[in-house]
Amino acid sequence: MRSWLYCPGNSPKMIINAGIYGADGLVFDLEDAVAPDRKREARILLAQAFKERIVPVEKSAVRINGPETEDWNKDLEEMIPAGALIIRIPKVEHPEQVHRICNLLDRIEADNGMDTGKVVLQCILETPLGVENAFVLGGSSSRISSLSFGAEDYCAAVGIPRGSDLLPLDYPRSRIASAAAAFGLSAYDTVWGFLDDETGLAADALRAKSLGFKGKSLIHPDQIELVNRVFSPTPDELADARNILEEAAFMDGGAGSLNGRMIDRPVILRAERILQSAEETGIRESTDAE
Amino acid sequence: MEVSAGFMTKQDALVRFSDENCTLQLEVRSSVSGLFGKAVRKAAGEELSRLNVINGRVWIEDNHALDFVIRARIQAVVMEMREAGCKV
């Protein structure tokens, strides 16, 4: 998934239209986008949208309220029976929080005749403690499908500006991407909040991609096309991957070379992943004939 | 006591519910009442019936809301009223 578009969970218009813009995934938000005195009506509205398949359930996540609030369990009690299968948890810091959520999910799934573990979790790490615990969090439950970075709260806590200087975020991004990879999870990058700064968005997304992120969360449909492009394999990457695999077909299990470059198992694996990613996102290598 | 849910924004509906001591009354005002007023009333009536609401007064100000929105906003006000201890 290259792009995850956030949509307020209490806006019928956004809920109805969210799927038409071309984002790979949608995140319906019951947390920051909903005022405290509107939480109940938001979760009822969103649950009804899931029940009636107003939203594309298979690619729709729900960001519940944080594990230290009074609302996260109500969110799950309402959304899972309604059909939500991807839950995004904000401000995760400790494995105990994940376990608490998983215990409730076990019970809700059983009550609703669902297979245990059907609901998967996306953990957002957006505090220094969450970032430092990325590895233990990534391994804290088999339900976890991805780790995401949340830069706004992180920057506020550490006391660094969020803007065009991307260097200060290399550490948390690398830590999260590496922890995710250790468990075979996807890593998704933070939102870019400067809507008029497309150049900044491109630089931010490219930086995240270079550090191992597979996609990015978005706050506006206008950001989708650029982010999808950044997180798709480039034509050069695709051509290179195909050449590597063609060469590998003649190798006898060990190492070989292509244009002076060593080809061994990790290089082949990376080439395979690039082609797989292209296939998943419907991208084809352009050829001379085209 | 009166509670409300929803907004007057496009594709939403503002639903108000008062626990007046009367048999259930439903009033619908819609920006597209000529076309969809009946449908809004039908969706609201069905939801109120499903929730066994038998008394009180419900006002709906609809702004092109789909049925699922009407149903959700009705659920929200009924639940809030009942959680406050009102027998509706």
Side-chain angles (χ1 to χ4, degrees), chain B residues 5-6 9-11 17-18 26 39 48 70 75 84:
Chain B
T9 49
K10 205 169 179 196
Q11 295 189 282
F17 187 18
S18 164
L26 175 60
L48 288 162
I70 301 292
Q75 286 172 44

Side-chain angles (χ1 to χ4, degrees), chain A residues 5-288:
Chain A
L5 177 65
Y6 273 108
C7 306
N10 199 24
S11 166
K13 188 178 174 189
M14 292 292 288
I15 290 171
I16 293 163
N17 295 322
I20 67 176
Y21 299 109
D24 287 351
L26 306 170
V27 185
F28 292 100
D29 189 17
L30 293 174
E31 195 211 14
D32 289 347
V34 178
D37 62 342
R38 297 281 186 168
K39 297 288 186 189
R40 182 215 314 263
E41 67 177 58
R43 74 172 70 92
I44 291 172
L45 176 71
L46 196 53
Q48 198 66 32
F50 270 76
K51 279 180 204 165
E52 299 193 28
R53 298 300 188 259
I54 303 293
V55 300
V57 171
E58 68 288 349
K59 63 171 202 172
S60 294
V62 176
R63 181 164 75 168
I64 61 171
N65 287 280
E68 300 309 319
T69 68
E70 294 175 355
D71 289 293
W72 67 270
N73 47 353
K74 296 175 196 164
D75 295 340
L76 294 178
E77 296 275 11
E78 195 82 42
M79 294 309 307
I80 304 306
L85 295 173
I86 309 169
I87 297 297
R88 189 173 273 215
I89 320 168
K91 299 180 180 63
V92 185
E93 293 187 316
H94 303 285
E96 294 74 28
Q97 294 169 323
V98 175
H99 298 154
R100 209 184 325 142
I101 287 166
C102 289
N103 288 341
L104 181 57
L105 287 175
D106 288 349
R107 204 265 294 151
I108 296 173
E109 286 173 338
D111 287 352
N112 288 277
M114 299 165 68
D115 293 337
T116 304
K118 195 163 171 65
V119 176
V120 299
L121 300 174
Q122 302 182 334
C123 293
I124 315 177
L125 314 183
E126 46 191 328
T127 65
L129 189 54
V131 168
E132 291 304 321
N133 281 339
F135 180 75
V136 286
L137 287 168
S140 63
S141 167
S142 57
R143 286 184 187 271
I144 295 178
S145 64
S146 66
L147 300 180
S148 297
F149 179 40
E152 305 303 323
D153 286 282
Y154 178 85
C155 286
V158 176
I160 53 178
R162 173 79 172 112
S164 56
D165 184 6
L166 303 176
L167 191 62
L169 297 185
D170 277 5
Y171 170 71
R173 279 176 164 151
S174 295
R175 194 168 174 92
I176 290 170
S178 182
F183 295 102
L185 311 175
S186 297
Y188 297 120
D189 193 41
T190 184
V191 299
W192 177 254
F194 308 93
L195 287 177
D196 296 330
D197 183 4
E198 206 171 82
T199 307
L201 171 64
D204 202 50
L206 280 166
R207 190 71 170 187
K209 182 184 179 185
S210 76
L211 295 170
F213 283 80
K214 302 293 179 252
K216 190 169 179 64
S217 297
L218 314 174
I219 55 169
H220 197 280
D222 286 351
Q223 298 177 321
I224 295 170
E225 190 185 343
L226 190 155
V227 166
N228 278 350
R229 202 165 58 236
V230 167
F231 285 98
S232 299
T234 65
D236 283 350
E237 285 173 327
L238 277 176
D240 192 42
R242 286 196 197 286
N243 289 339
I244 288 167
L245 293 183
E246 278 172 18
E247 182 64 28
F250 295 104
M251 286 163 43
D252 194 16
S257 71
L258 177 67
N259 301 327
R261 172 181 164 200
M262 186 179 78
I263 307 292
D264 60 1
R265 187 65 205 143
V267 175
I268 294 167
L269 194 61
R270 184 165 182 276
E272 287 172 345
R273 283 189 181 149
I274 287 171
L275 292 184
Q276 187 189 347
S277 163
E279 179 132 5
E280 285 167 0
T281 50
I283 293 165
R284 289 186 182 169
E285 181 186 4
S286 60
T287 63
D288 290 339

Side-chain angles (χ1 to χ4, degrees), chain B residues 22-62:
Chain B
C22 57
T23 54
L24 181 62
Q25 293 181 26
L26 175 60
E27 214 173 285
V28 176
R29 196 180 336 155
S30 173
S31 57
V32 284
S33 57
L35 285 170
F36 298 110
K38 268 188 191 169
V40 171
R41 179 175 286 277
K42 181 169 180 282
E46 285 172 355
E47 195 61 24
L48 288 162
S49 172
R50 190 182 71 82
L51 295 168
N52 298 315
V53 178
I54 51 170
N55 51 35
R57 187 179 291 225
V58 178
W59 295 268
I60 299 175
E61 292 184 64
D62 166 57

